[in-house]
Amino acid sequence: MSFLTLDHVSHHYFSKNNYTKALNNISMSVKEGEFIALLGPSGCGKSTLLSIMAGIIRHTEGKVLLQGDEVGESELDIGYMLQQDYLFPWKTIIDNVLLGPKINRNITEELKERAIKLLREVGLNNVTLKYPNELSGGMRQRVALVRTLINDPKILLLDEPFSALDYQTKLNLEDLVSDLLKTYHKTAILVTHDIGEAIAMSDRIFMMNTNPGSIAKIYDVPLELRNEIPFLSRRHPKYQILFDKIWNELEAKESEKKAVKIPNE
Amino acid sequence: MNDRQLFESYQRGLKREKKIILVWQLTILISFFALWEAASRFYWIDPLLFSSPSRVFQLIISRFANGTIFTHIQITLFETIIGFIIGTIGGILIATMLWSSARFAKVMDPYLVVFNAMPKVALGPILIVALGPGYLSIIAMGFIISVIVTTLVVFSAFNEVDPNYEKVLRSFGATRWQCFREAIFPAAMPAMISTLKVNVGLSWVGVIVGEYLVSKQGLGYLIIYGFQVFDFTLVMASLVIIAILAAIMYKLVEKLEKWLIKNRNI
């Protein structure tokens, strides 16, 4: 059975004199425990799509179902991670991590212990009483990950969470996230414009078109790559094959766009 | 020179710079009073109009000695502090109301513009008619002069908070009010604190002008009274006291600012 279903979803942005169609007729279904990557150039509406899945933006047409229910009814089912950590600078790390429970008024001693355990699991010891500005970028993004996981969401939405990090930190975090998601058997959707990241981390890749955003192509990542941790999967021979295939496809799209544009100029 | 010596010579440099600045500050202060005193003694300026530091300080000392100044100080300080507090809190409350409803903010916009542009002291006579010639209208002057600026500054600070903080909270299912409490309000804290400093000065303006208009007591009253009976030593003495009190209040607010920034997660 499908875990997350998008049924002919479209979204418009309205302004005073104009409107833009950000997303056009998107349908997809995601199985439980699956890792999906949404790959596309900036401005293709992938972040909008993620916000719709999170129930933060209300789509203008279509249906989004999480286990058969419309999203937006119980937000805690969804964990959302942004490009930057957006830790609250005036809160300690533990208070940041327990933000979700605080909003829903169910902070318990048990949850506090779980928070400390999760922090340790992502390699952060003795940081609970520190403030975010005392931590490095990679550490902060890990705290943001724990803040998302503490609510035990059914599905994780990752909006380019590694894009603001340096390369080494990014590779380390990819491994960590991938490992954690497998351990807790979480479903995840990753938005990225990095082909390598999409291949190394996900099970299926949805390539998106721009103007309006729609799904252009779906790639299945070979099983050999899925079972490896991201770092090793980047060295697998099949990785390069898929990379080249996607690369060529994107290049072809680019030149197609140019070819269409020339007569207008 | 080794590391230690380099560091020590750097420290000495810092101390020297500090000393030079202090010496200059004192030089300006002393020469100002010396020049004033001399000008008055040698009739370069009319001592009847501009008094002299020696007479001003004599008056201040005698007024303190016989205790007659304390009621005036007390009253003006009380009015200023109350005006300052309700002006600041009122401004923050109005800004919160504006933030809570975009429609209300849009409706209120032209009124805020007019009210902000208007010289608030011009409302003095109306306040006196409405609230009576007493503390109430003077406090209202202190309030009215700071409340609109506070509202505008704090409201724009609320709107400038990075929307992604709200996004994080919304993804946890936070209500609009929870977003306000957890993100908008604490993030706008530095802006609110900086309005405190501005408001100290503004409430002094409001209260002194208010006292000019109606009161029978207070430092503003002493100034206007001294002016009417041609006792400019009294005018100058009141000015000196106001300058000192306002500076102390400003410094206290600065201390409060530091404390609030350090403890804003509470």
Side-chain angles (χ1 to χ4, degrees):
Chain A
M1 189 201 134
S2 167
F3 189 70
L4 175 76
T5 313
L6 274 74
D7 187 13
H8 301 287
V9 170
S10 296
H11 189 70
H12 303 74
Y13 282 116
F14 300 104
S15 66
K16 202 173 159 194
N17 298 316
N18 215 339
Y19 69 90
T20 30
K21 196 159 192 180
L23 295 172
N24 185 30
N25 203 16
I26 292 191
S27 295
M28 63 164 81
S29 87
V30 180
K31 290 192 281 287
E32 182 157 19
E34 201 175 19
F35 196 123
I36 300 286
L38 294 173
L39 182 67
S42 48
C44 73
K46 40 193 201 311
S47 288
T48 304
L49 186 58
L50 214 60
S51 290
I52 287 172
M53 291 176 188
I56 291 175
I57 298 179
R58 180 81 198 148
H59 45 285
T60 44
E61 279 175 75
K63 261 190 210 156
V64 182
L65 301 173
L66 182 65
Q67 289 187 315
D69 293 325
E70 276 277 334
V71 290
E73 316 214 314
S74 59
E75 277 100 342
L76 272 195
D77 293 345
I78 288 156
Y80 198 0
M81 241 179 115
L82 296 163
Q83 260 171 54
Q84 277 160 41
D85 48 79
Y86 289 106
L87 297 181
F88 291 60
W90 52 87
K91 285 178 185 289
T92 56
I93 297 304
I94 188 79
D95 286 341
N96 264 295
V97 167
L98 292 173
L99 195 59
K102 187 180 179 195
I103 292 297
N104 295 284
R105 298 190 182 84
N106 60 352
I107 295 186
T108 56
E109 278 306 310
E110 228 179 305
L111 262 176
K112 271 186 198 163
E113 274 163 36
R114 195 171 122 80
I116 293 166
K117 191 179 146 253
L118 271 170
L119 281 169
R120 209 171 290 142
E121 233 171 288
V122 299
L124 296 171
N125 291 312
N126 303 323
V127 295
T128 45
L129 293 178
K130 287 196 172 145
Y131 286 90
N133 62 10
E134 297 172 71
L135 269 53
S136 71
M139 288 161 91
R140 294 169 58 125
Q141 197 57 288
R142 284 180 222 201
V143 175
L145 177 67
V146 172
R147 178 173 69 183
T148 314
L149 287 175
I150 192 85
N151 303 304
D152 202 16
K154 289 177 186 157
I155 184 163
L156 256 105
L157 305 176
L158 310 166
D159 191 353
E160 302 191 35
F162 312 117
S163 61
L165 302 170
D166 61 87
Y167 194 64
Q168 200 185 350
T169 313
K170 170 188 149 107
L171 291 185
N172 278 327
L173 263 187
E174 278 181 14
D175 287 355
L176 177 79
V177 169
S178 156
D179 184 49
L180 276 174
L181 292 179
K182 272 198 188 112
T183 316
Y184 293 102
H185 196 63
K186 295 277 182 228
T187 314
I189 296 177
L190 170 76
V191 158
T192 181
H193 54 245
D194 178 341
I195 305 172
E197 188 172 286
I199 300 172
M201 294 195 73
S202 68
D203 303 329
R204 270 198 297 164
I205 300 171
F206 287 68
M207 195 157 86
M208 289 185 67
N209 264 340
T210 336
N211 276 333
S214 55
I215 290 166
K217 215 160 185 176
I218 303 171
Y219 296 93
D220 281 313
V221 177
L223 212 62
E224 297 94 315
L225 297 183
R226 287 191 217 174
N227 293 335
E228 283 295 1
I229 60 168
F231 187 77
L232 293 178
S233 112
R234 280 176 193 270
R235 300 173 168 191
H236 201 280
K238 288 208 169 165
Y239 169 88
Q240 202 54 46
I241 295 169
L242 184 56
F243 190 99
D244 291 342
K245 204 166 141 194
I246 296 176
W247 175 265
N248 289 333
E249 187 80 29
L250 282 171
E251 284 288 289
K253 262 195 216 307
E254 279 295 310
S255 54
E256 213 175 276
K257 235 194 281 176
K258 276 176 201 146
V260 175
K261 264 187 188 165
I262 288 162
N264 293 337
E265 277 165 4
Chain B
M1 270 203 282
N2 63 22
D3 298 352
R4 181 89 212 151
Q5 280 166 328
L6 277 171
F7 176 58
E8 273 163 8
S9 86
Y10 170 76
Q11 276 183 317
R12 269 199 301 279
L14 280 187
K15 263 186 204 153
R16 221 174 89 86
E17 182 65 23
K18 227 176 169 178
K19 240 183 232 162
I20 292 173
I21 286 171
L22 189 69
V23 167
W24 272 108
Q25 287 170 335
L26 286 175
T27 312
I28 291 172
L29 184 76
I30 291 165
S31 43
F32 171 73
F33 282 110
L35 204 69
W36 182 10
E37 185 69 43
S40 177
R41 291 238 167 139
F42 298 117
Y43 289 92
W44 301 339
I45 53 172
D46 188 344
L48 202 62
L49 292 181
F50 295 101
S51 191
S52 71
S54 55
R55 281 197 272 169
V56 169
F57 286 115
Q58 250 165 30
L59 181 72
I60 291 177
I61 288 163
S62 72
R63 284 278 186 147
F64 268 98
N66 64 23
T68 47
I69 196 78
F70 290 115
T71 10
H72 297 291
I73 290 180
Q74 237 171 28
I75 284 168
T76 303
L77 261 187
F78 170 75
E79 289 162 347
T80 309
I81 291 171
I82 298 290
F84 164 73
I85 291 174
I86 58 177
T88 307
I89 294 177
I92 292 172
L93 283 179
I94 297 172
T96 308
M97 271 159 29
L98 292 174
W99 180 85
S100 69
S101 155
R103 185 181 288 160
F104 178 59
K106 276 189 193 136
V107 171
M108 292 312 288
D109 184 61
Y111 298 103
L112 285 172
V113 169
V114 170
F115 209 47
N116 184 40
M118 176 159 191
K120 263 71 72 181
V121 289
L123 294 172
I126 297 171
L127 286 177
I128 293 163
V129 173
L131 300 171
Y135 300 135
L136 220 53
S137 25
I138 296 169
I139 291 171
M141 283 286 272
F143 162 78
I144 216 168
I145 216 167
S146 55
V147 72
I148 300 296
V149 184
T150 312
T151 304
L152 293 177
V153 170
V154 173
F155 181 52
S156 81
F158 285 166
N159 285 327
E160 273 159 28
V161 176
D162 191 328
N164 282 305
Y165 285 116
E166 230 180 307
K167 208 170 178 181
V168 169
L169 289 165
R170 295 265 304 278
S171 81
F172 294 140
T175 60
R176 201 162 156 72
W177 171 239
Q178 281 176 320
C179 286
F180 181 78
R181 217 183 49 197
E182 297 293 334
I184 307 291
F185 190 83
M189 199 68 141
M192 283 187 265
I193 290 165
S194 72
T195 66
L196 289 183
K197 276 190 185 165
V198 178
N199 287 350
V200 170
L202 289 178
S203 4
W204 275 99
V205 174
V207 165
I208 296 297
V209 170
E211 287 184 349
Y212 281 2
L213 291 175
V214 280
S215 71
K216 292 274 164 280
Q217 279 170 317
L219 295 168
Y221 164 75
L222 286 185
I223 291 177
I224 217 77
Y225 173 78
F227 173 64
Q228 282 162 351
V229 302
F230 229 72
D231 180 358
F232 282 92
T233 307
L234 180 61
V235 174
M236 294 294 184
S238 311
L239 275 178
V240 170
I241 294 172
I242 288 173
I244 292 170
L245 289 178
I248 291 173
M249 210 163 140
Y250 186 85
K251 279 284 159 194
L252 285 178
V253 168
E254 221 173 41
K255 281 246 159 65
L256 178 75
E257 168 177 7
K258 282 202 183 114
W259 184 84
L260 279 174
I261 285 186
K262 230 172 98 193
N263 296 296
R264 73 167 154 166
N265 50 306
I266 294 174

PDB file of all heavy atoms in Angstrom, chain B residues 92-118:
ATOM      1  N   ILE B  92       4.675  48.105  22.460  1.00  0.00           N
ATOM      2  CA  ILE B  92       4.877  46.689  22.148  1.00  0.00           C
ATOM      3  C   ILE B  92       3.531  45.974  22.005  1.00  0.00           C
ATOM      4  O   ILE B  92       3.326  45.163  21.099  1.00  0.00           O
ATOM      5  CB  ILE B  92       5.761  46.010  23.224  1.00  0.00           C
ATOM      6  CG1 ILE B  92       7.186  46.569  23.142  1.00  0.00           C
ATOM      7  CG2 ILE B  92       5.776  44.502  23.055  1.00  0.00           C
ATOM      8  CD1 ILE B  92       8.107  46.131  24.252  1.00  0.00           C
ATOM      9  N   LEU B  93       2.583  46.329  22.877  1.00  0.00           N
ATOM     10  CA  LEU B  93       1.254  45.702  22.797  1.00  0.00           C
ATOM     11  C   LEU B  93       0.557  46.057  21.487  1.00  0.00           C
ATOM     12  O   LEU B  93      -0.025  45.193  20.823  1.00  0.00           O
ATOM     13  CB  LEU B  93       0.386  46.142  23.977  1.00  0.00           C
ATOM     14  CG  LEU B  93       0.698  45.467  25.317  1.00  0.00           C
ATOM     15  CD1 LEU B  93      -0.216  46.005  26.405  1.00  0.00           C
ATOM     16  CD2 LEU B  93       0.547  43.952  25.196  1.00  0.00           C
ATOM     17  N   ILE B  94       0.619  47.344  21.116  1.00  0.00           N
ATOM     18  CA  ILE B  94      -0.038  47.742  19.862  1.00  0.00           C
ATOM     19  C   ILE B  94       0.620  47.037  18.676  1.00  0.00           C
ATOM     20  O   ILE B  94      -0.054  46.533  17.779  1.00  0.00           O
ATOM     21  CB  ILE B  94       0.012  49.269  19.674  1.00  0.00           C
ATOM     22  CG1 ILE B  94      -0.757  49.969  20.799  1.00  0.00           C
ATOM     23  CG2 ILE B  94      -0.605  49.666  18.336  1.00  0.00           C
ATOM     24  CD1 ILE B  94      -0.611  51.470  20.805  1.00  0.00           C
ATOM     25  N   ALA B  95       1.979  46.966  18.714  1.00  0.00           N
ATOM     26  CA  ALA B  95       2.685  46.277  17.629  1.00  0.00           C
ATOM     27  C   ALA B  95       2.254  44.818  17.554  1.00  0.00           C
ATOM     28  O   ALA B  95       2.089  44.259  16.467  1.00  0.00           O
ATOM     29  CB  ALA B  95       4.192  46.375  17.844  1.00  0.00           C
ATOM     30  N   THR B  96       2.049  44.197  18.713  1.00  0.00           N
ATOM     31  CA  THR B  96       1.598  42.799  18.733  1.00  0.00           C
ATOM     32  C   THR B  96       0.222  42.673  18.090  1.00  0.00           C
ATOM     33  O   THR B  96      -0.033  41.753  17.312  1.00  0.00           O
ATOM     34  CB  THR B  96       1.536  42.294  20.192  1.00  0.00           C
ATOM     35  OG1 THR B  96       2.788  42.564  20.803  1.00  0.00           O
ATOM     36  CG2 THR B  96       1.243  40.812  20.249  1.00  0.00           C
ATOM     37  N   MET B  97      -0.657  43.628  18.419  1.00  0.00           N
ATOM     38  CA  MET B  97      -1.996  43.600  17.828  1.00  0.00           C
ATOM     39  C   MET B  97      -1.921  43.753  16.309  1.00  0.00           C
ATOM     40  O   MET B  97      -2.604  43.057  15.565  1.00  0.00           O
ATOM     41  CB  MET B  97      -2.868  44.705  18.426  1.00  0.00           C
ATOM     42  CG  MET B  97      -3.594  44.242  19.658  1.00  0.00           C
ATOM     43  SD  MET B  97      -4.180  45.524  20.785  1.00  0.00           S
ATOM     44  CE  MET B  97      -4.484  46.930  19.827  1.00  0.00           C
ATOM     45  N   LEU B  98      -1.060  44.677  15.869  1.00  0.00           N
ATOM     46  CA  LEU B  98      -0.913  44.890  14.426  1.00  0.00           C
ATOM     47  C   LEU B  98      -0.389  43.624  13.765  1.00  0.00           C
ATOM     48  O   LEU B  98      -0.819  43.240  12.678  1.00  0.00           O
ATOM     49  CB  LEU B  98       0.063  46.039  14.155  1.00  0.00           C
ATOM     50  CG  LEU B  98      -0.394  47.433  14.553  1.00  0.00           C
ATOM     51  CD1 LEU B  98       0.739  48.424  14.355  1.00  0.00           C
ATOM     52  CD2 LEU B  98      -1.598  47.853  13.733  1.00  0.00           C
ATOM     53  N   TRP B  99       0.567  42.947  14.432  1.00  0.00           N
ATOM     54  CA  TRP B  99       1.149  41.732  13.854  1.00  0.00           C
ATOM     55  C   TRP B  99       0.104  40.620  13.771  1.00  0.00           C
ATOM     56  O   TRP B  99       0.083  39.844  12.825  1.00  0.00           O
ATOM     57  CB  TRP B  99       2.330  41.269  14.711  1.00  0.00           C
ATOM     58  CG  TRP B  99       2.983  40.037  14.178  1.00  0.00           C
ATOM     59  CD1 TRP B  99       3.948  39.973  13.216  1.00  0.00           C
ATOM     60  CD2 TRP B  99       2.696  38.686  14.539  1.00  0.00           C
ATOM     61  NE1 TRP B  99       4.286  38.677  12.964  1.00  0.00           N
ATOM     62  CE2 TRP B  99       3.538  37.871  13.749  1.00  0.00           C
ATOM     63  CE3 TRP B  99       1.815  38.081  15.439  1.00  0.00           C
ATOM     64  CZ2 TRP B  99       3.518  36.480  13.855  1.00  0.00           C
ATOM     65  CZ3 TRP B  99       1.796  36.701  15.537  1.00  0.00           C
ATOM     66  CH2 TRP B  99       2.646  35.919  14.746  1.00  0.00           C
ATOM     67  N   SER B 100      -0.774  40.580  14.791  1.00  0.00           N
ATOM     68  CA  SER B 100      -1.706  39.448  14.859  1.00  0.00           C
ATOM     69  C   SER B 100      -2.737  39.485  13.748  1.00  0.00           C
ATOM     70  O   SER B 100      -3.298  38.463  13.399  1.00  0.00           O
ATOM     71  CB  SER B 100      -2.389  39.402  16.222  1.00  0.00           C
ATOM     72  OG  SER B 100      -3.257  40.498  16.324  1.00  0.00           O
ATOM     73  N   SER B 101      -2.987  40.651  13.175  1.00  0.00           N
ATOM     74  CA  SER B 101      -3.928  40.683  12.065  1.00  0.00           C
ATOM     75  C   SER B 101      -3.417  41.612  10.974  1.00  0.00           C
ATOM     76  O   SER B 101      -3.316  42.829  11.167  1.00  0.00           O
ATOM     77  CB  SER B 101      -5.303  41.157  12.556  1.00  0.00           C
ATOM     78  OG  SER B 101      -6.027  41.722  11.488  1.00  0.00           O
ATOM     79  N   ALA B 102      -3.091  41.011   9.834  1.00  0.00           N
ATOM     80  CA  ALA B 102      -2.556  41.804   8.720  1.00  0.00           C
ATOM     81  C   ALA B 102      -3.597  42.828   8.274  1.00  0.00           C
ATOM     82  O   ALA B 102      -3.257  43.939   7.878  1.00  0.00           O
ATOM     83  CB  ALA B 102      -2.182  40.883   7.559  1.00  0.00           C
ATOM     84  N   ARG B 103      -4.867  42.458   8.371  1.00  0.00           N
ATOM     85  CA  ARG B 103      -5.919  43.369   7.923  1.00  0.00           C
ATOM     86  C   ARG B 103      -5.987  44.582   8.847  1.00  0.00           C
ATOM     87  O   ARG B 103      -6.050  45.723   8.391  1.00  0.00           O
ATOM     88  CB  ARG B 103      -7.262  42.639   7.908  1.00  0.00           C
ATOM     89  CG  ARG B 103      -8.371  43.503   7.334  1.00  0.00           C
ATOM     90  CD  ARG B 103      -9.692  42.789   7.335  1.00  0.00           C
ATOM     91  NE  ARG B 103      -9.737  41.726   6.329  1.00  0.00           N
ATOM     92  CZ  ARG B 103     -10.600  40.725   6.369  1.00  0.00           C
ATOM     93  NH1 ARG B 103     -11.460  40.628   7.361  1.00  0.00           N
ATOM     94  NH2 ARG B 103     -10.605  39.813   5.437  1.00  0.00           N
ATOM     95  N   PHE B 104      -5.926  44.330  10.155  1.00  0.00           N
ATOM     96  CA  PHE B 104      -5.952  45.415  11.136  1.00  0.00           C
ATOM     97  C   PHE B 104      -4.765  46.356  10.889  1.00  0.00           C
ATOM     98  O   PHE B 104      -4.915  47.582  10.905  1.00  0.00           O
ATOM     99  CB  PHE B 104      -5.873  44.812  12.548  1.00  0.00           C
ATOM    100  CG  PHE B 104      -5.854  45.820  13.653  1.00  0.00           C
ATOM    101  CD1 PHE B 104      -6.904  46.715  13.799  1.00  0.00           C
ATOM    102  CD2 PHE B 104      -4.791  45.874  14.544  1.00  0.00           C
ATOM    103  CE1 PHE B 104      -6.889  47.654  14.819  1.00  0.00           C
ATOM    104  CE2 PHE B 104      -4.770  46.809  15.566  1.00  0.00           C
ATOM    105  CZ  PHE B 104      -5.823  47.701  15.696  1.00  0.00           C
ATOM    106  N   ALA B 105      -3.593  45.773  10.599  1.00  0.00           N
ATOM    107  CA  ALA B 105      -2.399  46.591  10.348  1.00  0.00           C
ATOM    108  C   ALA B 105      -2.616  47.498   9.146  1.00  0.00           C
ATOM    109  O   ALA B 105      -2.250  48.673   9.159  1.00  0.00           O
ATOM    110  CB  ALA B 105      -1.190  45.697  10.131  1.00  0.00           C
ATOM    111  N   LYS B 106      -3.237  46.928   8.105  1.00  0.00           N
ATOM    112  CA  LYS B 106      -3.471  47.730   6.896  1.00  0.00           C
ATOM    113  C   LYS B 106      -4.469  48.836   7.168  1.00  0.00           C
ATOM    114  O   LYS B 106      -4.314  49.970   6.688  1.00  0.00           O
ATOM    115  CB  LYS B 106      -3.975  46.836   5.759  1.00  0.00           C
ATOM    116  CG  LYS B 106      -2.824  46.182   5.035  1.00  0.00           C
ATOM    117  CD  LYS B 106      -3.284  45.477   3.772  1.00  0.00           C
ATOM    118  CE  LYS B 106      -2.174  44.585   3.257  1.00  0.00           C
ATOM    119  NZ  LYS B 106      -2.663  43.274   2.836  1.00  0.00           N
ATOM    120  N   VAL B 107      -5.511  48.518   7.934  1.00  0.00           N
ATOM    121  CA  VAL B 107      -6.522  49.529   8.260  1.00  0.00           C
ATOM    122  C   VAL B 107      -5.886  50.669   9.060  1.00  0.00           C
ATOM    123  O   VAL B 107      -6.131  51.845   8.811  1.00  0.00           O
ATOM    124  CB  VAL B 107      -7.671  48.887   9.069  1.00  0.00           C
ATOM    125  CG1 VAL B 107      -8.610  49.962   9.605  1.00  0.00           C
ATOM    126  CG2 VAL B 107      -8.438  47.908   8.198  1.00  0.00           C
ATOM    127  N   MET B 108      -5.023  50.299  10.000  1.00  0.00           N
ATOM    128  CA  MET B 108      -4.457  51.309  10.896  1.00  0.00           C
ATOM    129  C   MET B 108      -3.351  52.133  10.250  1.00  0.00           C
ATOM    130  O   MET B 108      -2.989  53.197  10.753  1.00  0.00           O
ATOM    131  CB  MET B 108      -3.889  50.636  12.161  1.00  0.00           C
ATOM    132  CG  MET B 108      -4.927  50.024  13.076  1.00  0.00           C
ATOM    133  SD  MET B 108      -6.301  51.119  13.404  1.00  0.00           S
ATOM    134  CE  MET B 108      -5.502  52.304  14.482  1.00  0.00           C
ATOM    135  N   ASP B 109      -2.803  51.636   9.155  1.00  0.00           N
ATOM    136  CA  ASP B 109      -1.611  52.252   8.570  1.00  0.00           C
ATOM    137  C   ASP B 109      -1.688  53.782   8.398  1.00  0.00           C
ATOM    138  O   ASP B 109      -0.815  54.493   8.895  1.00  0.00           O
ATOM    139  CB  ASP B 109      -1.283  51.563   7.241  1.00  0.00           C
ATOM    140  CG  ASP B 109      -0.007  52.100   6.639  1.00  0.00           C
ATOM    141  OD1 ASP B 109       1.033  51.964   7.310  1.00  0.00           O
ATOM    142  OD2 ASP B 109      -0.046  52.671   5.550  1.00  0.00           O
ATOM    143  N   PRO B 110      -2.716  54.330   7.733  1.00  0.00           N
ATOM    144  CA  PRO B 110      -2.727  55.792   7.557  1.00  0.00           C
ATOM    145  C   PRO B 110      -2.796  56.546   8.878  1.00  0.00           C
ATOM    146  O   PRO B 110      -2.184  57.610   9.017  1.00  0.00           O
ATOM    147  CB  PRO B 110      -3.986  56.034   6.724  1.00  0.00           C
ATOM    148  CG  PRO B 110      -4.792  54.808   6.829  1.00  0.00           C
ATOM    149  CD  PRO B 110      -3.850  53.685   7.074  1.00  0.00           C
ATOM    150  N   TYR B 111      -3.505  56.000   9.848  1.00  0.00           N
ATOM    151  CA  TYR B 111      -3.618  56.680  11.143  1.00  0.00           C
ATOM    152  C   TYR B 111      -2.266  56.727  11.849  1.00  0.00           C
ATOM    153  O   TYR B 111      -1.897  57.723  12.457  1.00  0.00           O
ATOM    154  CB  TYR B 111      -4.652  55.982  12.021  1.00  0.00           C
ATOM    155  CG  TYR B 111      -6.013  56.020  11.396  1.00  0.00           C
ATOM    156  CD1 TYR B 111      -6.545  54.913  10.762  1.00  0.00           C
ATOM    157  CD2 TYR B 111      -6.760  57.203  11.406  1.00  0.00           C
ATOM    158  CE1 TYR B 111      -7.776  54.962  10.152  1.00  0.00           C
ATOM    159  CE2 TYR B 111      -7.998  57.267  10.797  1.00  0.00           C
ATOM    160  CZ  TYR B 111      -8.504  56.141  10.169  1.00  0.00           C
ATOM    161  OH  TYR B 111      -9.709  56.206   9.564  1.00  0.00           O
ATOM    162  N   LEU B 112      -1.530  55.602  11.741  1.00  0.00           N
ATOM    163  CA  LEU B 112      -0.207  55.573  12.354  1.00  0.00           C
ATOM    164  C   LEU B 112       0.719  56.583  11.695  1.00  0.00           C
ATOM    165  O   LEU B 112       1.485  57.269  12.371  1.00  0.00           O
ATOM    166  CB  LEU B 112       0.398  54.166  12.235  1.00  0.00           C
ATOM    167  CG  LEU B 112      -0.181  53.129  13.182  1.00  0.00           C
ATOM    168  CD1 LEU B 112       0.347  51.746  12.849  1.00  0.00           C
ATOM    169  CD2 LEU B 112       0.172  53.478  14.620  1.00  0.00           C
ATOM    170  N   VAL B 113       0.621  56.676  10.367  1.00  0.00           N
ATOM    171  CA  VAL B 113       1.475  57.627   9.643  1.00  0.00           C
ATOM    172  C   VAL B 113       1.185  59.052  10.112  1.00  0.00           C
ATOM    173  O   VAL B 113       2.094  59.807  10.454  1.00  0.00           O
ATOM    174  CB  VAL B 113       1.262  57.496   8.122  1.00  0.00           C
ATOM    175  CG1 VAL B 113       1.934  58.649   7.383  1.00  0.00           C
ATOM    176  CG2 VAL B 113       1.820  56.168   7.632  1.00  0.00           C
ATOM    177  N   VAL B 114      -0.095  59.408  10.162  1.00  0.00           N
ATOM    178  CA  VAL B 114      -0.471  60.764  10.570  1.00  0.00           C
ATOM    179  C   VAL B 114      -0.026  61.027  12.004  1.00  0.00           C
ATOM    180  O   VAL B 114       0.587  62.049  12.320  1.00  0.00           O
ATOM    181  CB  VAL B 114      -1.996  60.966  10.456  1.00  0.00           C
ATOM    182  CG1 VAL B 114      -2.416  62.272  11.104  1.00  0.00           C
ATOM    183  CG2 VAL B 114      -2.423  60.929   9.005  1.00  0.00           C
ATOM    184  N   PHE B 115      -0.293  60.071  12.861  1.00  0.00           N
ATOM    185  CA  PHE B 115       0.005  60.239  14.273  1.00  0.00           C
ATOM    186  C   PHE B 115       1.504  60.333  14.513  1.00  0.00           C
ATOM    187  O   PHE B 115       1.970  61.064  15.379  1.00  0.00           O
ATOM    188  CB  PHE B 115      -0.595  59.066  15.051  1.00  0.00           C
ATOM    189  CG  PHE B 115      -0.967  59.429  16.451  1.00  0.00           C
ATOM    190  CD1 PHE B 115      -1.686  60.595  16.709  1.00  0.00           C
ATOM    191  CD2 PHE B 115      -0.617  58.612  17.505  1.00  0.00           C
ATOM    192  CE1 PHE B 115      -2.036  60.923  17.996  1.00  0.00           C
ATOM    193  CE2 PHE B 115      -0.970  58.942  18.796  1.00  0.00           C
ATOM    194  CZ  PHE B 115      -1.678  60.102  19.038  1.00  0.00           C
ATOM    195  N   ASN B 116       2.262  59.567  13.710  1.00  0.00           N
ATOM    196  CA  ASN B 116       3.706  59.579  13.858  1.00  0.00           C
ATOM    197  C   ASN B 116       4.290  60.910  13.379  1.00  0.00           C
ATOM    198  O   ASN B 116       5.196  61.465  13.994  1.00  0.00           O
ATOM    199  CB  ASN B 116       4.315  58.419  13.066  1.00  0.00           C
ATOM    200  CG  ASN B 116       5.803  58.315  13.256  1.00  0.00           C
ATOM    201  OD1 ASN B 116       6.296  58.501  14.362  1.00  0.00           O
ATOM    202  ND2 ASN B 116       6.526  58.054  12.194  1.00  0.00           N
ATOM    203  N   ALA B 117       3.728  61.413  12.265  1.00  0.00           N
ATOM    204  CA  ALA B 117       4.258  62.648  11.696  1.00  0.00           C
ATOM    205  C   ALA B 117       3.891  63.856  12.548  1.00  0.00           C
ATOM    206  O   ALA B 117       4.592  64.860  12.562  1.00  0.00           O
ATOM    207  CB  ALA B 117       3.726  62.827  10.275  1.00  0.00           C
ATOM    208  N   MET B 118       2.798  63.751  13.255  1.00  0.00           N
ATOM    209  CA  MET B 118       2.302  64.884  14.032  1.00  0.00           C
ATOM    210  C   MET B 118       3.227  65.213  15.217  1.00  0.00           C
ATOM    211  O   MET B 118       3.695  64.333  15.907  1.00  0.00           O
ATOM    212  CB  MET B 118       0.946  64.462  14.588  1.00  0.00           C
ATOM    213  CG  MET B 118       0.334  65.464  15.476  1.00  0.00           C
ATOM    214  SD  MET B 118      -1.392  65.078  15.491  1.00  0.00           S
ATOM    215  CE  MET B 118      -1.977  66.507  16.286  1.00  0.00           C
TER     216      MET B 118
END
